[in-house]
Amino acid sequence: MNALCTLIIWGGMHYATPAWMEKQIPAWMWSRYEIHIAPYGTKLSSIANVDPKTTALIGFSAGGLDVLRNYSQDYAMVVLLDPSTRMDYAKIAYTTNTYMFYNQSNWGGTNKSMDEVANQINATGGKAVSMKLKHNEIPAYFFNHFKGDY
């Protein structure tokens, strides 16, 4: 794997704005990576011209749909943080580039495909981890444990 250089991060709806997402990222990461934070629904092509081999796609909540729409095994890393999902994304062949950190109980009766997507990630080489964190705690957890070379 090439060195990870660029992080493209999609936030979610309501409070999970780019400004809120920016606050979840530790200070050291800003000097190490080129970081782009976009609102949910922003097209990848309008954020940055990237080389998938050195780029991570990261999505929180509804921003997970942006990551899943753009998923490719070519990306250096793909990270889903308590993401919104769709059943169609439970059919993708993920690889070791894919990580998901989630808590199904944060979603109540909605987001019914989350467990299926997590199971598919684990079955096809990625790593999906169920955790007992509140929805709004998962981004900071990930970024504070991020080492850049998962």
Side-chain angles (χ1 to χ4, degrees):
M1 178 168 94
N2 292 333
L4 185 58
C5 300
T6 306
L7 308 180
I8 307 231
I9 302 167
W10 283 274
M13 299 171 83
H14 309 297
Y15 66 87
T17 63
W20 183 85
M21 290 300 294
E22 184 176 326
K23 292 176 188 165
Q24 309 310 302
I25 300 170
W28 70 267
M29 291 181 75
W30 293 96
S31 62
R32 168 98 193 265
Y33 300 103
E34 179 182 340
I35 299 174
H36 302 272
I37 303 174
Y40 160 66
T42 304
K43 290 185 187 285
L44 177 60
S45 61
S46 70
I47 299 170
N49 185 9
V50 299
D51 175 2
K53 299 283 185 220
T54 60
T55 301
L57 301 182
I58 302 169
F60 170 61
S61 196
L65 293 173
D66 293 301
V67 170
L68 290 164
R69 272 187 216 106
N70 290 288
Y71 181 81
S72 167
Q73 295 179 354
D74 295 335
Y75 282 96
M77 181 184 287
V78 175
V79 181
L80 300 163
L81 303 172
D82 216 22
S84 294
T85 59
R86 302 277 187 270
M87 196 54 83
D88 290 349
Y89 299 122
K91 300 172 185 153
I92 292 175
Y94 299 97
T95 62
T96 57
N97 73 336
T98 309
Y99 301 88
M100 179 170 154
F101 301 90
Y102 70 104
N103 183 350
Q104 177 68 59
S105 67
N106 287 334
W107 292 87
T110 64
N111 206 2
K112 296 182 188 324
S113 57
M114 179 177 267
D115 284 329
E116 285 83 354
V117 170
N119 291 341
Q120 179 70 358
I121 289 170
N122 284 328
T124 55
K127 184 175 183 181
V129 179
S130 177
M131 38 190 25
K132 297 206 181 297
L133 291 176
K134 293 178 186 171
H135 187 64
N136 66 352
E137 295 172 344
I138 291 177
Y141 169 86
F142 170 74
F143 290 117
N144 285 316
H145 291 83
F146 179 80
K147 302 294 183 229
D149 59 356
Y150 261 76

